[in-house]
Amino acid sequence: MGESRDNDAELMLRVKSGDLEAFEVLVDKYKQPVMNLIYRILPDAAEAEDLTQTVFVQVYKSASRYHVSAKFTTWLFTIARNLCFNEIRRRSRHPAQSFDALTEAHGEDSPRQFEDLGALGPQESALQTELEEKVDEVVRGLPETQRTALLLCCQNELSYEHISEVLGCSLSATKSLIHRARETLKQRLKPYLRSGAWIAKAS
Amino acid sequence: MNQKKIMKHPIRKQALETLWRRELTVDERGRLEQHFAGDEGQRLFFEEEEALSRLLTGVADAPLSSNFTARVVAAARLEKRRSGRVDDDLGLAALLGRWRGYFHRSWTTPTMAAGLILVISITAFYQAKSYRRQQLAQTLATVTKATAMPEIEVLQDFDAIRHLGRVQMSQSTMEMDAALLAALQ
């Protein structure tokens, strides 16, 4: 983790001096974690991808303000979260129905879902899809701060200190947010746990 | 299982907080197993937490276009070119733009107006002072020219001077002239 941090800082210093190759390495490394976070805040995949792109362009534009004292991922996810907030605020002022939401409403499959489930049998793959959809639904249903804290914690492996920096709250408040989010998940996913689906997925 | 009870125990608390972020290592698991001895409730609680963590980390990644990195780099390159052009254009237009920016700031206009008034006031004050001095100098020059020194004989004649003081201003010009002549004789 420490080595990765040093690498990121080094890359970011190169970006600061205008090195686009270093920027490309950073984009490749962090595009999926940023997209995962944004996708679970904004339900529209196309908009989430556009916003992810905006996050990285913003990183490039703000490179001159980057200091090595700040951990790169903390800085990156703070930018991502702020842009999500702006987008949510903009949407609340100018509400519009997304194309993806429309296709979902008509029962069509999202064209961007191309997960390979070929390795599983039909029953297992159906169960896994159902489980993932359910988890996705429950995660999206969490309050924003709980959801962000949970995703940064379990999917991006940020330390609690860095998560608290991204969220702008204390360490104990951050742990409390994660705890509450997990309790909600456990309660809402209880039927899957009882049916053994969790264990099947876990193993 | 009461989580507060678990959080009171440092090893279990640490294990739980680690479990929220990643899977436990074999060593960590072994240490935790020792604490479970005879406490099936805690074991189940941790198993549930572990399963949830695996489930969350195992959720499929959000779909992302294959050309995403290329698109972002192209956007950054465009941004770089644009900012480079802005740097090149740092001529008169940019300078004017910056000045315009200064004027558009809310605090600049009143400050500038106050400064202008102050400069005008100081200039006016010194101009007036200089004008007054000039006028005084001109007056002095006129007075100096007009008042020629009296004859030394007149100054020595103290009786005549004393008589000059006695001349009544209420008298007519003729009477005054006569009185003066009398005084000087």
Side-chain angles (χ1 to χ4, degrees), chain A residues 21 35 46 55 61 70 90 94 107 111 115-116 125 131 143 148 166 173 181:
Chain A
E21 278 179 26
M35 177 65 184
V55 169
K61 278 163 77 175
R90 192 190 64 79
H94 311 285
E115 193 186 349
D116 179 21
S125 71
L131 194 59
T148 308
V166 173

Side-chain angles (χ1 to χ4, degrees), chain A residues 18 28 31-32 35-36 39-40 49 53 60-61 112 154-155 157-158 160 175 179 182 186 193 201, chain B residues 3 17 20-21 48-49 53 55-63 65 68-69 71-72 76 79-80:
Chain A
D28 243 356
K31 63 182 178 185
Q32 196 62 63
M35 177 65 184
N36 285 347
Y39 183 59
R40 267 142 200 128
E49 191 173 312
Q53 180 175 333
Y60 186 78
K61 278 163 77 175
R112 286 177 179 260
C154 66
Q155 291 201 327
E157 295 182 11
L158 283 189
Y160 294 111
K175 286 180 182 176
H179 164 63
R182 291 181 70 97
K186 279 198 282 183
L193 177 68
K201 169 77 183 167
Chain B
Q3 187 151 352
E17 285 182 3
W20 285 354
R21 292 181 56 222
E48 205 173 81
E49 285 287 337
S53 290
L55 193 66
L56 285 169
T57 49
V59 168
D61 282 336
S65 306
F68 179 82
T69 307
R71 264 176 31 216
V72 173
E79 185 61 37
K80 188 182 180 180

Side-chain angles (χ1 to χ4, degrees), chain A residues 1 18-20 23-24 27-28 31-32 35-36 39-40 45 49-50 52-53 56-57 60-61 112-115 128 131-132 135-136 139 150 153-155 157-160 175 178-179 182-183 185-186 189-190 193 198-199 201-203, chain B residues 1-4 7 13-23 44-83:
Chain A
M1 195 78 177
D19 187 343
L20 273 170
F23 179 65
E24 194 172 344
V27 174
D28 243 356
K31 63 182 178 185
Q32 196 62 63
M35 177 65 184
N36 285 347
Y39 183 59
R40 267 142 200 128
E49 191 173 312
D50 286 347
T52 307
Q53 180 175 333
F56 284 106
V57 173
Y60 186 78
K61 278 163 77 175
R112 286 177 179 260
Q113 300 285 345
F114 21 71
E115 193 186 349
Q128 182 159 340
L131 194 59
E132 282 185 2
V135 173
D136 217 41
V139 170
L150 182 81
C153 176
C154 66
Q155 291 201 327
E157 295 182 11
L158 283 189
S159 69
Y160 294 111
K175 286 180 182 176
I178 296 166
H179 164 63
R182 291 181 70 97
E183 284 304 305
L185 283 177
K186 279 198 282 183
L189 296 169
K190 220 161 211 168
L193 177 68
W198 275 21
I199 307 301
K201 169 77 183 167
S203 57
Chain B
M1 173 53 52
N2 188 358
Q3 187 151 352
K4 278 182 184 170
M7 287 304 208
K13 186 189 170 195
Q14 197 185 353
L16 188 63
E17 285 182 3
T18 309
L19 202 54
W20 285 354
R21 292 181 56 222
R22 59 167 173 81
E23 281 191 49
L44 282 173
F45 174 83
F46 270 90
E47 275 176 5
E48 205 173 81
E49 285 287 337
E50 200 168 15
L52 180 61
S53 290
R54 280 186 191 163
L55 193 66
L56 285 169
T57 49
V59 168
D61 282 336
L64 200 57
S65 306
S66 54
N67 64 344
F68 179 82
T69 307
R71 264 176 31 216
V72 173
V73 173
R77 190 167 283 132
L78 196 72
E79 185 61 37
K80 188 182 180 180
R81 218 174 294 152
R82 208 166 51 190
S83 65

Side-chain angles (χ1 to χ4, degrees), chain B residues 96-152:
Chain B
L96 282 173
R98 210 175 289 176
W99 273 105
R100 210 173 298 136
Y102 277 126
F103 279 111
H104 283 171
R105 280 180 201 156
S106 59
W107 57 268
T108 318
T109 314
T111 313
M112 295 271 289
L116 197 67
I117 289 167
L118 191 70
V119 168
I120 290 171
S121 308
I122 291 169
T123 312
F125 173 74
Y126 280 105
Q127 282 286 339
K129 202 174 169 182
S130 163
Y131 178 74
R132 271 204 305 274
R133 279 183 180 171
Q134 218 172 337
Q135 288 284 69
L136 191 65
Q138 275 177 359
T139 313
L140 279 171
T142 313
V143 168
T144 311
K145 276 179 201 164
T147 52
M149 284 292 283
E151 294 296 325
I152 195 74

Side-chain angles (χ1 to χ4, degrees), chain A residues 107-128:
Chain A
E108 294 170 25
D109 289 329
S110 167
R112 286 177 179 260
Q113 300 285 345
F114 21 71
E115 193 186 349
D116 179 21
L117 298 173
L120 299 169
Q123 202 179 348
E124 285 86 0
S125 71
L127 180 67
Q128 182 159 340

Side-chain angles (χ1 to χ4, degrees), chain A:
Chain A
M1 195 78 177
E3 196 186 328
S4 162
R5 180 172 55 194
D6 290 343
N7 285 345
D8 293 344
E10 204 177 291
L11 286 167
M12 208 45 215
L13 288 176
R14 279 171 56 193
V15 173
K16 207 173 173 175
S17 61
D19 187 343
L20 273 170
E21 278 179 26
F23 179 65
E24 194 172 344
V25 175
L26 279 174
V27 174
D28 243 356
K29 188 174 175 185
Y30 289 108
K31 63 182 178 185
Q32 196 62 63
V34 173
M35 177 65 184
N36 285 347
L37 177 73
I38 293 176
Y39 183 59
R40 267 142 200 128
I41 296 174
L42 300 174
D44 188 311
E47 283 184 0
E49 191 173 312
D50 286 347
L51 200 63
T52 307
Q53 180 175 333
T54 310
V55 169
F56 284 106
V57 173
Q58 188 62 45
V59 164
Y60 186 78
K61 278 163 77 175
S62 317
S64 57
R65 291 200 295 273
Y66 174 75
H67 298 292
V68 187
S69 56
K71 187 176 177 344
F72 174 71
T73 42
T74 307
W75 191 59
L76 176 70
F77 287 116
T78 306
I79 292 175
R81 188 171 180 247
N82 288 342
L83 286 176
C84 281
F85 271 155
N86 290 348
E87 183 58 27
I88 289 165
R89 219 173 291 141
R90 192 190 64 79
R91 280 177 175 212
S92 65
R93 282 199 298 266
H94 311 285
Q97 199 170 10
S98 75
F99 182 73
D100 278 12
L102 281 170
T103 53
E104 274 168 25
H106 287 86
E108 294 170 25
D109 289 329
S110 167
R112 286 177 179 260
Q113 300 285 345
F114 21 71
E115 193 186 349
D116 179 21
L117 298 173
L120 299 169
Q123 202 179 348
E124 285 86 0
S125 71
L127 180 67
Q128 182 159 340
T129 307
E130 186 192 334
L131 194 59
E132 282 185 2
E133 278 173 3
K134 188 68 192 170
V135 173
D136 217 41
E137 182 194 316
V138 176
V139 170
R140 283 183 202 277
L142 291 171
E144 190 279 327
T145 42
Q146 285 186 30
R147 182 174 46 199
T148 308
L150 182 81
L151 292 170
L152 288 175
C153 176
C154 66
Q155 291 201 327
N156 298 302
E157 295 182 11
L158 283 189
S159 69
Y160 294 111
E161 286 81 4
H162 289 130
I163 297 170
S164 66
E165 275 179 46
V166 173
L167 296 175
C169 59
S170 69
L171 191 64
S172 56
T174 303
K175 286 180 182 176
S176 170
L177 284 170
I178 296 166
H179 164 63
R180 274 186 278 149
R182 291 181 70 97
E183 284 304 305
T184 308
L185 283 177
K186 279 198 282 183
Q187 270 184 3
R188 294 195 187 158
L189 296 169
K190 220 161 211 168
Y192 292 88
L193 177 68
R194 282 180 183 162
S195 70
W198 275 21
I199 307 301
K201 169 77 183 167
S203 57

